[in-house]
Amino acid sequence: MLTPLAAQPTAITDFFKEAGFTHEQFKRNPTLRDLPSGRLGNLSDLTERTSEPTALNILLRWFFLGLPLGSEAFAGLIPAPVVAQLVETGMLVPDAGRYVPKVMLTPCDGFLFAADPARTLETPEASGMVLWPNPSTRLLQMFTIRRPTTAMLDLGAGCGILAVLAAGHCRQVVASDLNPRATEFARFNVWLNGVNNVECVTGDTFAPVEGRRFDLIASNPPFFVTPSADQIYCENSMELDGYCRELIRAAPRYLNEGGFLQITLEWVEVKGQSWRDRLAEWLADTGCDAWVLRSYTRSAAAYAAERIGRMMPYSPLTENQRFDEWMAYYRALGVEEVQGGIMALRRRSGSNWIRIEEVASLDCTEPFGDSVVELFANQDRLESERSDDRMMAWKPRLPADVRIDQQLHLDDGEWKPSAMQLRRPGGLPTALALDPQVAEFLRKCDGTRTLDELGERLAAEVKVDAGQVRQQCCAVVRKLVERRLLLL
Ligand SMILES: C[S@@+](CC[C@H](N)C(=O)[O-])C[C@H]1O[C@@H](n2cnc3c(N)ncnc32)[C@H](O)[C@@H]1O
């Protein structure tokens, strides 16, 4: 049982920071790249790597590796008042002369999050466990639009990471989860991070917030596509990807006009229906604009092997038995592939648009919420001003952070330019191949000239019919605006 104290958590959090138990340290230190695992056998290696008697190593052994320590191990390294508070909160429990850690602590940006110890994944307790910040949390964190708003919902909040992070830019935040243990962790983390505008509630999907509306709903839901529903942190009781579908279709009722739902998700491709058509069916008549980015795809067999082996290690069945069970399920329902990615849905009255894109991978280390806002604004213009005539008044502007990469090839003993690529690295990287003529045209797109003027000038330069040049300019500009390589 975790207990937030009446006192501020600063004695604990300041000490952790001073000791170097920080996000920066976790990123830098190779010891902290892999989660401690008894099953995969890295625990003895991690124990060895944390053997030097320092305050940081003690904290790592307790709250990362999950090792009990006797007082002789930490005497002189961890101040008594800090140990006393760790015990008072229930994060450490004295037992037969040793101090046993009950949580794993993960630093995330300037915050600290308590969750179940990593090795719970390998035990029967995995069914009700509360997850620590993991790669899909991080992806959603990077993806989330961070602008000042009134009301935010973190749906399936787990230990409350996204809610705590949103508390800085949203006036009222709700962290909601089906698992009461998650609510307990979220409440504790709200205290641990000194936040006072997050309400933590328990219940199924939107039930705890019935009748309320939000400007932002962020959700990293239990989206694994599995035949069972035993592990609450990643599984749900609906067929295949049904939970994500239901969540997406219900969300608009809980969004204010202009409000966003942002989720991580997986969905399937079944025999006779492409994955794009499946998504389009989910997104029809929602009263929302939608942007989907598919970032991975796996055959049913590859998906089952990966999930069973690496992400859901605990089961009374053997891996082979589970694999057979999963494949029988997929075969019965015609599942050929599983797709994964992110989706943003914006509630908007009027005629809505849907855009579905693909990237080879989505390994974002910088926030890209601003790119999402930009993308929605661009798409609005593209949809509402479809005709070339309307586009003539646009004043396209090349963003300051775009770059051109050029490849050279050896030709008769000389380096000659060949392929060119326009790139915008940013939070959500984007790129497009282009030819030198377009590169030259883009140089003049500084936001002061209309497309009409730019087209006319280009037509005079290349001595081609102005109508034809304008048409080509519109096609190019449209493509570049779609990919955020030109702004309007
Ligand atoms: C993948 S975890 C995400 C946790 C956290 N938001 C994060 O990003 O790390 C999914 C969370 O959804 C919760 N959950 C599962 N089914 C749910 C439901 N029907 N309604 C609300 N939450 C649910 C789980 O308990 C779990 O905490």
Side-chain angles (χ1 to χ4, degrees):
M1 178 76 182
L2 288 170
T3 314
L5 307 181
Q8 292 291 315
T10 42
I12 296 175
T13 49
D14 288 353
F15 181 73
F16 274 67
K17 272 187 200 134
E18 263 166 47
F21 198 96
T22 61
H23 194 159
E24 282 312 306
Q25 180 69 244
F26 269 60
K27 278 195 278 190
R28 265 200 312 267
N29 188 339
T31 308
L32 307 173
R33 297 236 171 93
D34 293 322
L35 286 174
S37 159
R39 187 175 152 274
L40 300 176
N42 65 353
L43 199 58
S44 38
D45 180 36
L46 294 178
T47 309
E48 179 56 32
R49 284 165 182 251
T50 50
S51 56
E52 200 189 328
T54 64
L56 177 59
N57 282 341
I58 296 296
L59 297 181
L60 289 172
R61 282 187 165 194
W62 265 334
F63 298 113
F64 186 59
L65 307 192
L67 300 177
L69 299 173
S71 48
E72 73 291 345
F74 60 84
L77 295 172
I78 314 289
V82 173
V83 177
Q85 280 211 347
L86 290 169
V87 170
E88 241 182 294
T89 57
M91 288 197 275
L92 272 186
V93 173
D95 182 22
R98 296 192 309 169
Y99 287 74
V100 184
K102 292 293 171 185
V103 297
M104 178 161 89
L105 288 172
T106 311
C108 179
D109 296 334
F111 302 94
L112 197 57
F113 293 97
D116 275 320
R119 278 181 298 147
T120 315
L121 264 187
E122 301 163 27
T123 70
E125 279 75 53
S127 60
M129 72 176 282
V130 178
L131 224 50
W132 49 90
N134 58 75
S136 64
T137 325
R138 188 76 180 154
L139 174 60
L140 186 57
Q141 181 194 341
M142 296 293 115
F143 175 33
T144 307
I145 297 169
R146 306 230 166 256
R147 56 182 182 188
T149 51
T150 307
M152 186 270 182
L153 169 66
D154 177 1
L155 180 62
C159 70
I161 305 143
L162 294 155
V164 167
L165 293 171
H169 61 94
C170 304
R171 191 135 38 96
Q172 262 310 319
V173 178
V174 180
S176 176
D177 203 287
L178 181 63
N179 182 353
R181 294 192 68 244
T183 312
E184 187 193 330
F185 272 105
R187 245 178 228 133
F188 184 75
N189 286 326
V190 165
W191 170 78
L192 187 61
N193 290 291
V195 168
N196 57 18
N197 55 341
V198 178
E199 177 192 350
C200 302
V201 295
T202 307
D204 189 358
T205 317
F206 290 107
V209 294
E210 198 49 63
R212 295 169 73 170
R213 283 184 189 257
F214 300 89
D215 306 305
L216 176 64
I217 302 174
S219 185
N220 178 18
F223 54 64
F224 285 11
V225 181
T226 70
S228 47
D230 307 330
Q231 323 263 324
I232 194 168
Y233 65 93
C234 64
E235 292 186 299
N236 64 78
S237 55
M238 291 194 190
E239 200 86 283
L240 297 176
D241 47 15
Y243 185 72
C244 287
R245 180 186 188 278
E246 291 306 300
L247 195 160
I248 288 162
R249 295 204 58 84
R253 274 202 291 132
Y254 303 90
L255 284 174
N256 286 320
E257 177 75 8
F260 279 87
L261 163 73
Q262 293 184 275
I263 66 169
T264 51
L265 75 162
E266 285 184 345
W267 68 102
V268 295
E269 172 150 302
V270 288
K271 218 183 189 96
Q273 185 190 39
S274 76
W275 62 264
R276 282 178 176 269
D277 287 350
R278 189 172 186 90
L279 277 186
E281 184 265 313
W282 290 10
L283 294 168
D285 309 317
T286 54
C288 292
D289 302 309
W291 173 70
V292 185
L293 189 63
R294 184 190 77 164
S295 57
Y296 58 90
T297 177
R298 300 277 184 278
S299 69
Y303 179 83
E306 186 177 320
R307 288 283 187 247
I308 291 169
R310 223 156 42 87
M311 293 162 186
M312 302 174 64
Y314 177 75
S315 170
L317 303 180
T318 65
E319 277 193 21
N320 284 345
Q321 285 169 327
R322 290 169 83 196
F323 184 80
D324 290 345
E325 183 197 358
W326 284 41
M327 290 311 293
Y329 175 66
Y330 292 153
R331 265 192 296 276
L333 294 167
V335 176
E336 294 181 337
E337 287 178 350
V338 179
Q339 321 292 333
I342 53 176
M343 176 186 291
L345 214 68
R346 179 189 58 183
R347 185 173 160 149
R348 183 175 62 84
S349 309
S351 160
N352 295 120
W353 51 261
I354 297 174
R355 190 164 144 196
I356 301 176
E357 288 181 55
E358 295 166 47
V359 282
S361 72
L362 189 55
D363 196 12
C364 288
T365 50
E366 286 174 44
F368 60 94
D370 287 349
S371 305
V372 177
V373 173
E374 201 178 83
L375 188 145
F376 271 73
N378 287 353
Q379 194 66 26
D380 285 346
R381 287 289 290 275
L382 290 168
E383 294 288 331
S384 65
E385 299 173 21
R386 281 167 177 273
S387 75
D388 287 2
D389 283 349
R390 299 275 312 264
M391 285 178 70
M392 283 299 117
W394 288 6
K395 291 181 175 170
R397 176 168 55 85
L398 204 59
D401 53 349
V402 296
R403 301 282 175 267
I404 289 181
D405 287 344
Q406 189 171 45
Q407 279 183 2
L408 304 177
H409 67 280
L410 205 55
D411 182 0
D412 235 356
E414 287 193 25
W415 290 111
K416 295 273 171 60
S418 46
M420 264 184 166
Q421 199 186 40
L422 188 65
R423 248 175 9 90
R424 191 169 175 202
L428 181 62
T430 175
L432 192 71
L434 86 170
D435 60 46
Q437 247 184 358
V438 175
E440 190 52 29
F441 166 76
L442 289 177
R443 223 166 43 79
K444 295 169 190 134
C445 294
D446 61 1
T448 65
R449 292 164 217 170
T450 62
L451 200 47
D452 196 22
E453 288 163 351
L454 290 164
E456 201 163 312
R457 203 184 268 206
L458 185 60
E461 278 167 20
V462 295
K463 299 190 178 52
V464 176
D465 168 61
Q468 201 183 329
V469 169
R470 276 206 192 101
Q471 210 177 18
Q472 282 172 357
C473 284
C474 284
V476 166
V477 166
R478 202 166 259 285
K479 216 187 255 182
L480 292 169
V481 170
E482 255 180 22
R483 286 167 178 74
R484 298 181 304 102
L485 290 162
L486 266 184
L487 303 176
L488 297 175

